[in-house]
Amino acid sequence: MAETDVAAASLFGADRRLCSADVLSPPEVRARIEVAVLNFLAALSSPSSPSISILPLISRKSANCSLRSGLLSDVSSVYLSYAFCKRSLMRENDAKAFVRVWKVMEMCYKILGEGKLVTQRELFYKLLSDSPKYFSCQRHVNQSIQDVVSLLRCTRQSLGIMASSRGALIGRLVLHEPEEERIDCSILGPSGHAITGDLNELGKLNLHSDARYLIVVEKDAIFQRLAEDRLYNQLPCIIITAKGYPDIATRFILHRLSQTFPNMPIFALVDWNPAGLAILCTYKYGSISMGLESYRYACNVKWLGLRGDDLQLIPQSAFQELKPRDLQIAKSLLSSKFLQEKHRAELTLMVDTGKRAEIEALYCHGFDFLGKYIAKKIVQGDYI
């Protein structure tokens, strides 16, 4: 089938420039699934069509990815164009993936009919039980969910699939859900407030804050150190972490905070290694794999540290060699279309020196140094 025919066969959406996933109600999603089934049955019975139709999915490859800038904001995000890939039952490599898409859609149809939300992990174990031949690992489920998002053009949450959140936040923020008690995040213990994976619940929260800064930290250990030191009492801020690569729920609440408090700059504190930069870029632009939804969560995140200028603060004994995985991530980032020049220069320095450094290396100056380091860099405008 020609590319133009594949585009014409697409079930939803007509704009050929930008492709996005819609937030839909359960009845609307169920209706789209029903349309997909009817189109498939029509293709089966049509004498002029192949006996098995293909599934036209938005391509989630880097060649179909670009960066768009907001018209009225300084936020840029990854987006996907209307270039299509195909899942076909007639191709050996695609056959199982083709069936998986329909099985995930079937499960989502049931979940939405029951008014439930499930995590990707819960969905995996249910599908493993029902169809072990097709779902032998979590990756099969994750890939199939993204295929369904690409086919139906609706968000994962709309499909009844809830983000599995690891995130937490603490600081000068009061959360208030209608008819619930207020949560003052400035009086919590060092573990902070756990971020729910239900985006609907996060969307209902009323947010109140007198903070001046939002600080995103890569790791839970750093989050707990800053929380233990009550950094937000010395520097009026909100501290947030996803404890590694950012999940959807953490990105969602960060985006909500940035929209609610548009004059509050966001600073990222990550390790000086390719993975740290990849984490920062996910907060800043979104990811290609979720390109249909990235614009919903992208934020204008500034890189506070660690950066090349900070390496003089770290003893030579604290540096580590770049690992093969680091070099793989670096290669991917360097080939991307959205990496800004100052970020590219930092990444090039990492590769050229073959070194990496963790935030904890700053503890050579004392455990209370990290808060002073953050405050000094913000006050001096030392970020990119």
Side-chain angles (χ1 to χ4, degrees):
M1 181 178 287
E3 184 177 337
T4 53
D5 295 331
V6 174
S10 178
L11 297 175
F12 309 102
D15 186 345
R16 301 296 176 89
R17 295 167 298 171
L18 305 177
C19 188
S20 62
D22 302 322
V23 176
L24 301 176
S25 66
E28 289 174 314
V29 178
R30 282 166 63 93
R32 289 196 177 188
I33 293 174
E34 290 164 3
V35 168
V37 172
L38 290 173
N39 283 356
F40 179 69
L41 293 175
L44 283 176
S45 59
S46 173
S48 60
S49 297
S51 58
I52 299 293
S53 69
I54 58 93
L55 288 175
L57 309 175
I58 297 298
S59 173
R60 300 188 300 277
K61 295 185 180 297
S62 58
N64 190 39
C65 163
S66 294
L67 197 66
R68 67 173 172 185
S69 300
L71 293 175
L72 301 176
S73 73
D74 52 4
V75 177
S76 299
S77 63
V78 169
Y79 76 87
L80 301 179
S81 302
Y82 275 76
F84 287 78
C85 62
K86 295 173 284 186
R87 292 277 184 265
S88 173
L89 191 60
M90 306 308 290
R91 287 204 304 236
E92 184 178 354
N93 293 338
D94 270 0
K96 282 193 173 182
F98 181 94
V99 174
R100 287 184 197 118
V101 172
W102 290 104
K103 288 191 172 291
V104 168
M105 274 201 290
E106 177 189 19
M107 193 62 64
C108 290
Y109 193 85
K110 292 178 180 178
I111 292 167
L112 293 169
E114 296 170 0
K116 293 184 181 299
L117 283 173
V118 301
T119 64
Q120 287 190 165
R121 195 64 176 166
E122 290 172 325
L123 188 61
F124 164 64
Y125 278 108
K126 177 60 176 169
L127 290 167
L128 179 64
S129 172
D130 293 352
S131 307
K133 180 180 177 181
Y134 295 101
F135 297 95
S136 59
C137 63
Q138 183 71 53
R139 179 176 54 84
H140 290 155
V141 176
N142 298 351
Q143 176 74 42
S144 300
I145 290 169
Q146 289 304 320
D147 283 350
V148 174
V149 168
S150 296
L151 180 69
L152 301 181
R153 311 282 174 78
C154 64
T155 64
R156 291 196 312 175
Q157 181 85 5
S158 298
L159 291 170
I161 300 170
M162 180 172 61
S164 183
S165 177
R166 305 178 304 276
L169 52 80
I170 198 168
R172 298 171 78 138
L173 176 69
V174 176
L175 307 172
H176 184 215
E177 187 177 336
E179 301 180 4
E180 297 286 343
E181 290 186 6
R182 293 173 180 266
I183 300 173
D184 184 348
C185 296
S186 68
I187 60 173
L188 301 176
S191 295
H193 174 71
I195 299 169
T196 177
D198 187 344
L199 304 191
N200 293 329
E201 293 298 318
L202 291 176
K204 295 176 185 176
L205 289 174
N206 293 316
L207 309 172
H208 307 277
S209 177
D210 64 349
R212 294 180 59 189
Y213 312 105
L214 266 163
I215 300 176
V216 180
V217 298
E218 175 183 346
K219 297 186 287 193
D220 185 44
I222 300 299
F223 175 88
Q224 294 206 37
R225 165 50 50 206
L226 298 176
E228 182 74 33
D229 292 346
R230 302 283 175 181
L231 173 67
Y232 43 84
N233 287 340
Q234 301 130 41
L235 185 74
C237 64
I238 300 166
I239 308 168
I240 187 168
T241 184
K243 304 176 184 179
Y245 274 91
D247 55 83
I248 294 267
T250 305
R251 288 164 59 191
F252 181 93
I253 192 64
L254 181 65
H255 184 265
R256 268 218 68 199
L257 287 165
S258 72
Q259 295 294 300
T260 306
F261 310 109
N263 296 321
M264 194 183 296
I266 307 172
F267 300 110
L269 187 64
V270 297
D271 287 340
W272 193 71
N273 60 27
L277 179 55
I279 287 170
L280 184 149
C281 288
T282 302
Y283 281 115
K284 188 174 180 68
Y285 305 117
S287 62
I288 296 174
S289 64
M290 293 194 62
L292 295 176
E293 301 182 58
S294 286
Y295 73 97
R296 298 186 183 279
Y297 316 114
C299 299
N300 184 26
V301 179
K302 308 292 187 184
W303 191 357
L304 191 69
L306 287 173
R307 302 201 324 274
D309 292 344
D310 302 318
L311 301 184
Q312 59 186 333
L313 299 172
I314 298 172
Q316 285 298 315
S317 59
F319 286 96
Q320 303 170 24
E321 298 291 329
L322 287 180
K323 300 176 181 177
R325 176 60 179 161
D326 293 317
L327 295 173
Q328 184 180 357
I329 294 171
K331 181 179 179 181
S332 176
L333 285 171
L334 288 170
S335 66
S336 70
K337 303 173 183 177
F338 53 78
L339 196 65
Q340 64 187 60
E341 284 309 309
K342 290 183 178 179
H343 291 179
R344 189 177 297 275
E346 289 280 344
L347 187 57
T348 301
L349 180 61
M350 296 176 201
V351 174
D352 288 347
T353 60
K355 301 293 185 181
R356 50 180 282 170
E358 297 187 348
I359 303 165
E360 289 90 340
L362 294 173
Y363 290 156
C364 66
H365 301 283
F367 291 113
D368 62 345
F369 179 76
L370 190 56
K372 300 173 185 176
Y373 163 86
I374 292 170
K376 181 179 179 181
K377 288 178 76 73
I378 290 177
V379 170
Q380 294 182 343
D382 186 8
Y383 47 81
I384 57 176

